[in-house]
Amino acid sequence: ETMEVTLKTEVEAGASGFSVTGGGNEGIFIKKVLKESPASKIFSLREGDQLLSATIFFDNIKYEDALKILQYSEPYRVQFSLKRKIAGKEELEHIHSAAQYKKEKLSQ
């Protein structure tokens, strides 16, 4: 009997050393993990794990890379973490907003 658990990994830079398989309805799964790689040691990824989401942090990111990531994510469900200045006040407000993007199927 197998049990399903959902795990959240630590926040680290550079999840390298793994490959994925799947896509579409079936989802994205970890196909192979290289021993001694960040994927294995830091993130403890295992072959067969389903990758549910990935959070990419924008601190010190190159503009071109941020643009690419945002463009590629357009058709998918995205959650943003925002920092906003409020008019007339100095304090910053953190807003977590779940934005659901659905591609409208245009009938031709």
Side-chain angles (χ1 to χ4, degrees):
E1 198 185 318
T2 53
M3 209 172 64
E4 280 200 356
V5 290
T6 304
L7 307 167
K8 215 171 186 176
T9 73
E10 292 299 308
V11 173
E12 282 288 341
S16 60
F18 70 102
S19 60
V20 297
T21 185
N25 296 341
E26 114 179 64
I28 293 291
F29 290 85
I30 307 295
K31 183 165 131 189
K32 196 164 168 42
V33 182
L34 297 177
K35 282 178 189 162
E36 304 302 305
S37 70
S40 168
K41 288 163 78 175
I42 298 165
F43 295 100
S44 306
L45 300 184
R46 292 186 194 167
E47 289 163 26
D49 286 350
Q50 184 174 4
L51 201 52
L52 298 177
S53 69
T55 302
I56 293 130
F57 294 88
F58 281 10
D59 42 331
N60 300 314
I61 195 171
K62 283 191 276 183
Y63 168 75
E64 296 81 8
D65 292 344
L67 193 61
K68 240 179 240 165
I69 288 165
L70 292 168
Q71 284 172 339
Y72 277 127
S73 68
E74 257 179 51
Y76 308 108
R77 291 200 303 145
V78 174
Q79 183 175 52
F80 292 115
S81 178
L82 309 168
K83 180 155 67 172
R84 178 175 295 165
K85 285 199 167 98
I86 307 164
K89 293 180 188 169
E90 281 309 306
E91 78 256 30
L92 301 166
E93 185 184 55
H94 289 273
I95 291 172
H96 293 280
S97 117
Q100 317 259 333
Y101 289 116
K102 287 189 181 132
K103 245 190 184 162
E104 299 283 323
K105 285 196 174 138
L106 302 170
S107 47
Q108 290 161 356

